[in-house]
Amino acid sequence: GIVITPLLLLLFLGSSSSVPFTSIFSQLFMTVVVPLIIGQIVRRYIKDWLERKKPPFGAISSCVLLMIIYTTFCDTFANPNIDLDKFSLIIIVFIIFSVQMSFMFLTFLFSTRNNSSFTPADTVAIIFCSTHKSLTLGIPMLKIVFAGYEHLSLISVPLLIYHPAQILLGSLLVPTIKSWMVSRQKALKLTRQPKAPVKV
């Protein structure tokens, strides 16, 4: 994401545009990569302590994500310059749901091919992990790449819809995907069981 996004900007905007790519790369590196590296280094030294104490990182993460979503929604729709009518918003929602469903369907087809070595559990992980994107990375990237752009709020609308859409679609598809996975695992177990010798 931090490499491809600026390259796509260069491709679509052209090399003659005044986009500060060096500044974008450095800011994205400091915002995304450096905290990740520091976290991995610190984790090596406090891993045992974390396993003993078990801090509620899950709840903290959910609260932080909720605050990011809330503040981003507030920043977006409180902007008086945002020009988005209801019909356009409905079209965007429809497109995003279609894109999300298409991605999930394509990853399902790819991971269940005959020559694929993926297990049913792998397929479920691929469907959800490869098609889901988070606001926690997307919003900082937008704010860095499009810093100072007057229509930043408008640009963030698809991402604001995409994130809740993936949660909604995921929750709706879980029962179906779970039943598929269980039945597929049972079928694989039956095919792998050695056949009883036939008595003559």
Side-chain angles (χ1 to χ4, degrees):
I2 64 172
V3 174
I4 293 175
T5 301
L7 290 178
L8 287 174
L9 279 174
L10 178 63
L11 177 66
F12 288 111
L13 297 178
S15 57
S16 61
S17 60
S18 58
V19 179
F21 287 99
T22 305
S23 173
I24 288 172
F25 273 117
S26 61
Q27 288 184 61
L28 286 174
F29 185 81
M30 292 301 295
T31 306
V32 179
V33 180
V34 171
L36 179 64
I37 293 172
I38 293 173
Q40 292 300 315
I41 293 172
V42 171
R43 185 177 181 273
R44 290 174 61 92
Y45 297 101
I46 63 172
K47 182 180 177 182
D48 295 333
W49 179 83
L50 290 174
E51 289 178 352
R52 286 196 311 270
K53 297 294 183 179
K54 297 188 185 304
F57 285 130
I60 295 171
S61 174
S62 299
C63 291
V64 170
L65 180 59
L66 183 63
M67 285 302 300
I68 290 173
I69 295 172
Y70 175 74
T71 54
T72 306
F73 263 97
C74 291
D75 289 343
T76 300
F77 293 103
N79 188 347
N81 296 324
I82 188 169
D83 185 20
L84 186 66
D85 58 282
K86 293 179 181 179
F87 180 73
S88 299
L89 190 60
I90 292 171
I91 294 296
I92 292 171
V93 170
F94 175 76
I95 292 171
I96 288 173
F97 269 86
S98 301
V99 168
Q100 176 74 2
M101 288 295 294
S102 301
F103 283 160
M104 296 179 82
F105 181 69
L106 288 173
T107 52
F108 177 80
L109 290 180
F110 171 77
S111 57
T112 53
R113 293 181 303 174
N114 291 332
N115 59 348
S116 173
S117 60
F118 296 119
T119 65
D122 291 335
T123 297
V124 174
I126 291 168
I127 289 172
F128 286 107
C129 294
S130 66
T131 61
H132 282 45
K133 301 299 173 189
S134 175
L135 282 172
T136 53
L137 180 60
I139 293 301
M141 284 183 65
L142 281 176
K143 288 184 176 180
I144 291 171
V145 173
F146 296 99
Y149 185 57
E150 61 178 344
H151 297 295
L152 176 62
S153 299
L154 199 60
I155 293 174
S156 64
V157 169
L159 182 59
L160 288 172
I161 298 171
Y162 191 91
H163 189 85
Q166 66 190 16
I167 296 172
L168 178 62
L169 283 174
S171 61
L172 291 174
L173 292 173
V174 161
T176 305
I177 293 176
K178 182 181 178 181
S179 61
W180 171 85
M181 185 184 74
V182 172
S183 61
R184 187 70 182 269
Q185 286 175 335
K186 288 180 180 178
L188 288 174
K189 285 180 181 179
L190 290 174
T191 56
R192 290 173 182 172
Q193 283 180 353
K195 295 181 179 180
V198 178
K199 294 181 179 180
V200 181

